[in-house]
Amino acid sequence: MKKFTRLCAMVCAFTLLWGAAAVTVAPAPRISAAAEPEKLLTGNPVGGLFPAGTPTLATYAGYTWLTEGLNATDPAIVASDSAEAPRLTDGENGPDTTHSLVAAAPPGTAAAASLIFDLQAPYKVSTVRVWADSGLASMEVYASLDGKTYSRTGGAANANLPSAGYAAVELSVKPVMFARYVKIILHKDPAASSMGIGEAAVFGKEAGSPALLSNNRLRATGPYNTSVNKLDTGATYTWISDQPFVTEADLIKTDNDSKNDGFGGWPDLTDGSSTEANADYVANSAWGAKGKYGAVLFDLKDMYQINSIDVWAKADSSKLMDGYEVLVSTDGVNFRSLGYSPNPNSKTANAIVNAPSSGVPGMNARYVKLLLHNDNTSQQLIVGEIAIWGWRLYDPALPKNTTPDRVEFRTELKNYSTLYLDWSGYNQTVNNVNKYAIYVETQNFTSTAGLTPKLTLEAGSIALAGKYASYFALKPETDYYLAITPFHSSAGERKDVETVKVTTPGVLEGDKAGNIFAINDSPYGGSNYVNHGENEEQNLIQKLMLEREIGGIHKNRWWDHSPWMKSLYGSYGVAFHMYYHGSGYVPSDNAMGAWTFSTYNEPDLAKRDPAAVAAAIGANHASMKAVDSRNLLVEPALGGVDAKSLPWLEAFYNSDGQNGALVKTYFDVMDVHPYVKYEDTPLPGIDHGSPEMLIQKIADLRALMASHGDGEKPIVFTEIGWSTYSGGAYLKKVDRATQRNYLARAYLHSIAGGVKSVFWYSMQDDGLDPANLEHNLGIIDWNGKAKESYFGYYMMVRLMKEAQYLGPVQGAVHPYYGYRFWDESKNRYITALWDASWQTSSTSTKTARISAADASMSLVGIDGNQKVVEASQGKAGITLTGAPVFIYSNAPISVDSVQ
């Protein structure tokens, strides 16, 4: 990593606005933060490329070239830049090579340049501008408060003609982002022979100092003393006792006891204590609460950008909160994860210690949920204080507008069908708004006159209060233009708009590992399902709430075409994969987010004639494509990938008498159910039925497909799973922890094998019979309680959501496995490691000795454990079990040995 800094000596005069609250000087009226002009934040000299009079702030910013990851900077750029006179902030433009940088790569190849500006403090970033030649295809911008977790701000294509030379490409950041770090990724046009970059600049405004938001009591001394900048938010908190993260009961019992504190019963988590360990100031679990959770929800009463969070907990020989996850929400229903924060302290601290974490730009919050995890070896969880810091997004005390401001909003595509919109930074009070309309069109527009909104959010609705909404269902491979209009309480709708464009991906497109997650959750069960009677509808909603809690399940698999059920699941962000029952159903299925279909389920096990199956599939493919070519036929849902099922697939391809030349055109996606069956021969040194068998199963399947000229066809698994039953005739019986471990490993092997989608079988146990295989395949039990595999699925979604697969880990050899990923939002590698020979009955563990350039790395285990791993002289030890661990590092790691 190479850092380039230019110190701006100019002293700038400016009006300082703290947060979004205006400074008032009598008798002048209040002015909104929007009236303040944006300023140059990156120290570029003014007078040349930047006109004289350009407002500036002396931030002492510098930039660093990113030399790791998928968008690592072309080495020629790093080598030709100068730390003493950095070329991208010298105020001069190309093509003069003393003031510009060039990435050279042959036509047809990709190249990138990624730089990170450190503004030295948070600012409200509003514009990012880069000057480049026509070799630049596009740029992406990410923002961060801590330099570790980034939020994608947006992107901009280079629309300049070659004749324009080194011209500006600009991203206007709307709404503004609170950020200290700004990452700019520049993508070379693959058709160009080079990419020239002349200058880069970031503009914005002062953010002011973050304030204490969580209503902690201020004391005379300590971290939360009377000199602290505190906003009177009236914030409160509650412990969560609902599924899936149920707070250990004694944490609730020992908090806010009227006998405690001596301060009139202040809640223990906000009584202003930090290092005090006696019972008057802390909440503590029962003894023996290994691996248990404390789940606490703060209500800040209004919207804020979170800057940081303090969590004080006891660390000694028998007590350790090993880490926590932070989730934020504007409406109290839809939560977004800010990631895991392993505790940097160890049991040797022997004190109440702070494990701080950071907010993420653009993820605003009224509600902040913290899931505190007691280490799996810790006897007790003791929590002393939690403090949340951040910035007010707007000043509700400003004079009310007679015409409401336009609504600026952020969008997030979950997949091709589900879109989220967030305008939580909009000043609803000052703009006197009592309703919103959301427009979704396939043609651009500047006014909503004559258009019909897709959603109308009325006063009193959760969406209006949270200024957050989801829209379902979009169509794949489509450009959409979006607008949100405010309704003034007396003047009505403001109809002039500036749209936001989003483009949906194809049904199976995308390079993120997180695209793989899907589930089998038949709303009312299958043939083995035991109905819940009068509680069946309640059970359905409970399942959907638990699926929403996971957050990253993209699809469910079902056979019924009723639109109301697809609409219900769609409101929770889950689309359907359907059985094909004729072209007459396809238009309504498409309208409700279903674009993949299957004709059969396990025709090989049903002993169906392969030729007849091929003929039926071919006919269905033709009729389905006639409705819309974007639909995909997913076949044949083979019942296994083994010596019994693969010969059937061979006969299926050969049924056309042309080695599959015709049959391969009858369907779009290969679908198999690669259960690792009891009869499958185990790999040497590992247990029967282990998911490592998937590696060979995927290879065998691809080899058979390739032998028929079909090797490039995408693959999905619409069923795979392991049962926690007491049997063992068809599938190996596993305990609950092993089911969790196998789930994680099965998904990791599938990602590495290039599988596009994996539908875990299943969401819920079908019944209560311990000997029934189908009654024990779920990740929640029949009563709706989360099993260990639920938490494994939950964590896999968070760890893999933005990750991109790179390859196997060097030095990880059977029975030890490892895969490496890059996560652009974390700006780090993720390395998954485990010991496939380990079983839950094992009495010992192995240690992987790894080579690591990082001095310390964060580790998150699929078993819930979190820790910070220290390296010494480039080496570190990682304990391996059958539960994969995920290591975050700035540089790649490799395995030297396992002992």
Side-chain angles (χ1 to χ4, degrees):
M1 300 277 279
K2 198 173 182 181
K3 187 173 183 180
F4 302 84
T5 307
R6 174 176 293 276
L7 302 183
C8 178
M10 181 181 295
V11 177
C12 307
F14 56 89
T15 301
L16 184 61
L17 299 180
W18 294 103
V23 175
T24 57
V25 181
R30 293 176 185 264
I31 58 171
S32 70
E36 179 193 1
E38 67 175 12
K39 298 178 174 69
L40 181 61
L41 302 178
T42 39
N44 313 65
V46 172
L49 192 59
F50 302 87
T54 298
T56 63
L57 283 174
T59 65
Y60 304 98
Y63 66 84
T64 300
W65 289 111
L66 184 62
T67 56
E68 296 286 353
L70 283 171
N71 294 298
T73 304
D74 184 285
I77 285 182
V78 180
S80 56
D81 206 353
S82 168
E84 291 72 30
R87 297 186 186 182
L88 294 195
T89 52
D90 62 4
E92 304 287 343
N93 201 1
D96 184 340
T97 55
T98 61
H99 297 291
S100 61
L101 301 165
V102 177
T109 61
S114 298
L115 63 152
I116 299 175
F117 276 104
D118 180 357
L119 304 178
Q120 303 300 322
Y123 292 85
K124 292 187 282 186
V125 173
S126 54
T127 303
V128 177
R129 193 177 300 150
V130 172
W131 285 259
D133 66 13
S134 60
L136 172 69
S138 63
M139 73 172 178
E140 298 178 82
V141 177
Y142 290 73
S144 174
L145 287 163
D146 63 356
K148 295 179 180 179
T149 301
Y150 286 79
S151 176
R152 191 177 188 276
T153 301
N158 185 0
N160 298 310
L161 297 174
S163 58
Y166 280 64
V169 179
E170 181 175 298
L171 176 68
S172 181
V173 181
K174 295 181 179 180
V176 298
M177 285 274 202
F178 287 77
R180 171 176 172 173
Y181 301 89
V182 179
K183 177 166 64 172
I184 306 171
I185 304 174
L186 307 172
H187 297 283
K188 173 187 150 302
D189 182 350
S193 59
S194 64
M195 173 178 68
I197 314 163
E199 192 83 356
V202 178
F203 298 81
K205 304 172 185 178
E206 281 276 351
S209 298
L212 183 62
L213 306 175
S214 42
N215 201 29
N216 303 68
R217 179 181 181 274
L218 300 184
R219 299 186 174 200
T221 60
Y224 314 108
N225 59 67
T226 52
S227 66
V228 162
N229 180 21
K230 176 183 174 180
L231 283 179
D232 185 16
T233 63
T236 58
Y237 73 84
T238 55
W239 291 100
I240 299 170
S241 56
D242 297 328
Q243 288 287 324
F245 293 96
V246 179
T247 298
E248 199 281 328
D250 274 29
L251 284 165
I252 302 173
K253 187 189 304 183
T254 58
D255 191 9
N256 200 22
D257 188 326
S258 59
K259 296 180 294 184
N260 290 350
D261 300 332
F263 303 120
W266 274 72
D268 286 338
L269 302 191
T270 53
D271 61 8
S273 66
S274 53
T275 59
E276 295 93 335
N278 66 64
D280 286 352
Y281 304 105
V282 300
N284 58 268
S285 74
W287 191 261
K290 295 180 180 180
K292 299 294 185 180
Y293 283 94
V296 61
L297 178 65
F298 279 82
D299 180 358
L300 305 179
K301 308 302 182 182
D302 202 355
M303 311 297 182
Y304 299 91
Q305 167 65 62
I306 305 303
N307 176 58
S308 60
I309 300 174
D310 299 336
V311 177
W312 296 81
K314 186 65 178 289
D316 66 18
S317 60
S318 59
K319 306 173 192 69
L320 181 68
M321 179 203 71
D322 61 13
Y324 58 96
E325 181 189 9
V326 178
L327 301 103
V328 296
S329 172
T330 63
D331 59 13
V333 175
N334 297 282
F335 282 84
R336 294 176 288 176
S337 176
L338 304 188
Y340 293 102
S341 298
N343 190 343
N345 305 288
S346 70
K347 290 183 175 182
T348 60
N350 201 34
I352 297 279
V353 287
N354 187 17
S357 63
S358 178
V360 176
M363 291 196 178
N364 302 330
R366 170 178 170 172
Y367 302 92
V368 180
K369 185 191 299 185
L370 295 99
L371 305 179
L372 315 176
H373 184 255
N374 196 30
D375 186 86
N376 291 342
T377 64
S378 169
Q379 293 288 353
Q380 191 176 38
L381 174 61
I382 297 180
V383 188
E385 191 83 0
I386 294 177
I388 302 171
W389 304 80
W391 295 274
R392 178 179 283 159
L393 294 171
Y394 43 74
D395 184 357
L398 291 170
K400 285 184 166 51
N401 294 333
T402 54
T403 300
D405 296 327
R406 283 178 173 173
V407 178
E408 295 179 350
F409 58 97
R410 294 187 180 89
T411 63
E412 179 186 356
L413 275 172
K414 178 180 179 181
N415 45 45
Y416 68 83
S417 63
T418 302
L419 171 73
Y420 299 106
L421 304 101
D422 180 347
W423 63 104
S424 53
Y426 187 73
N427 198 333
Q428 192 165 283
T429 302
V430 165
N431 285 299
N432 204 11
V433 172
N434 65 355
K435 184 166 71 172
Y436 296 96
I438 297 177
Y439 295 84
V440 183
E441 300 290 331
T442 55
Q443 299 292 326
N444 202 4
F445 56 99
T446 57
S447 171
T448 61
L451 299 177
T452 302
K454 295 296 190 292
L455 294 173
T456 301
L457 311 179
E458 301 286 351
S461 67
I462 292 174
L464 183 140
K467 291 173 280 188
Y468 186 90
S470 65
Y471 179 74
F472 178 89
L474 302 173
K475 296 181 178 181
E477 302 174 56
T478 303
D479 292 337
Y480 287 99
Y481 297 88
L482 315 169
I484 302 175
T485 56
F487 285 71
H488 191 273
S489 60
S490 59
E493 181 182 20
R494 177 170 178 172
K495 295 179 178 290
D496 61 304
V497 297
E498 182 179 347
T499 61
V500 173
K501 180 183 177 182
V502 299
T503 301
T504 55
V507 175
L508 289 180
E509 285 183 5
D511 54 5
K512 303 290 178 60
N515 296 337
I516 200 171
F517 296 109
I519 199 81
N520 280 273
D521 176 27
S522 301
Y524 298 115
S527 59
N528 287 281
Y529 183 71
V530 178
N531 193 277
H532 291 78
E534 63 182 15
N535 296 319
E536 188 61 32
E537 297 301 327
Q538 178 183 340
N539 180 70
L540 175 63
I541 297 302
Q542 185 176 2
K543 284 194 301 178
L544 282 168
M545 292 174 66
L546 288 171
E547 288 180 27
R548 179 172 60 196
E549 195 85 16
I550 289 174
I553 295 177
H554 296 284
K555 279 197 172 186
N556 183 21
R557 180 169 169 249
W558 204 32
W559 53 83
D560 192 287
H561 297 272
S562 58
W564 75 271
M565 188 62 73
K566 291 194 284 290
S567 178
L568 176 63
Y569 272 74
S571 68
Y572 286 81
V574 181
F576 274 94
H577 168 71
M578 303 297 300
Y579 282 93
Y580 189 78
H581 295 129
S583 60
Y585 290 102
V586 174
S588 61
D589 287 341
N590 289 168
M592 289 287 101
W595 290 83
T596 59
F597 300 88
S598 292
T599 305
Y600 293 102
N601 183 57
E602 300 179 343
D604 54 320
L605 301 187
K607 302 188 184 305
R608 292 184 182 271
D609 175 50
V613 169
I617 287 173
N620 287 347
H621 189 257
S623 64
M624 181 196 71
K625 291 289 187 180
V627 177
D628 195 309
S629 62
R630 292 170 293 183
N631 285 300
L632 300 179
L633 197 61
V634 180
E635 303 288 0
L638 198 69
V641 182
D642 49 42
K644 292 182 178 179
S645 294
L646 289 180
W648 188 97
L649 185 61
E650 182 79 27
F652 170 76
Y653 272 115
N654 287 333
S655 65
D656 62 5
Q658 301 180 44
N659 193 42
L662 288 179
V663 169
K664 71 179 183 181
T665 67
Y666 294 168
F667 64 111
D668 305 294
V669 182
M670 172 61 72
D671 177 18
V672 298
H673 300 167
Y675 287 104
V676 183
K677 300 172 185 175
Y678 196 81
E679 62 191 27
D680 290 343
T681 303
L683 292 170
I686 65 175
D687 199 21
H688 224 85
S690 298
E692 283 63 42
M693 288 289 294
L694 287 174
I695 298 173
Q696 190 59 50
K697 287 179 180 288
I698 294 171
D700 291 344
L701 177 63
R702 288 198 182 278
L704 190 152
M705 293 168 65
S707 72
H708 295 281
D710 209 14
E712 299 304 313
K713 181 167 285 180
I715 296 171
V716 301
F717 301 160
T718 54
E719 286 187 28
I720 191 172
W722 281 261
S723 178
T724 55
Y725 71 143
S726 60
Y730 183 68
L731 296 180
K732 168 198 172 184
K733 64 178 180 181
V734 296
D735 58 37
R736 289 188 168 197
T738 301
Q739 186 190 44
R740 174 202 63 207
N741 297 346
Y742 280 12
L743 180 149
R745 285 150 57 178
Y747 270 109
L748 288 166
H749 289 311
S750 299
I751 293 166
V755 179
K756 291 291 186 178
S757 187
V758 173
F759 292 69
W760 182 262
Y761 197 94
S762 59
M763 178 65 190
Q764 185 174 30
D765 289 348
D766 276 359
L768 294 169
D769 181 357
N772 188 310
L773 182 147
E774 296 273 356
H775 283 198
N776 296 275
L777 283 161
I779 60 175
I780 63 173
D781 67 19
W782 186 82
N783 293 308
K785 184 178 180 181
K787 295 163 68 174
E788 284 83 343
S789 51
Y790 175 91
F791 297 105
Y793 204 128
Y794 178 98
M795 297 191 77
M796 282 296 295
V797 165
R798 276 144 182 73
L799 294 163
M800 293 288 102
K801 180 182 177 182
E802 298 294 327
Q804 293 171 271
Y805 177 66
L806 298 178
V809 175
Q810 180 182 346
V813 180
H814 177 83
Y816 313 111
Y817 289 83
Y819 295 119
R820 180 181 295 131
F821 303 84
W822 174 259
D823 188 332
E824 201 68 66
S825 69
K826 297 295 185 183
N827 212 44
R828 283 174 285 175
Y829 293 97
I830 305 175
T831 302
L833 293 173
W834 69 93
D835 175 5
S837 68
W838 188 89
Q839 302 177 43
T840 53
S841 59
S842 298
T843 57
S844 61
T845 59
K846 299 290 180 66
T847 298
R849 300 297 302 174
I850 65 170
S851 291
D854 295 56
S856 65
M857 298 158 285
S858 296
L859 181 149
V860 178
I862 206 68
D863 60 358
N865 252 19
Q866 304 171 52
K867 67 185 300 184
V868 173
V869 178
E870 305 291 341
S872 176
Q873 297 181 334
K875 304 293 181 182
I878 304 294
T879 300
L880 297 185
T881 69
V885 294
F886 298 82
I887 307 160
Y888 287 87
S889 62
N890 293 308
I893 68 174
S894 60
V895 176
D896 298 333
S897 64
V898 181
Q899 301 171 346

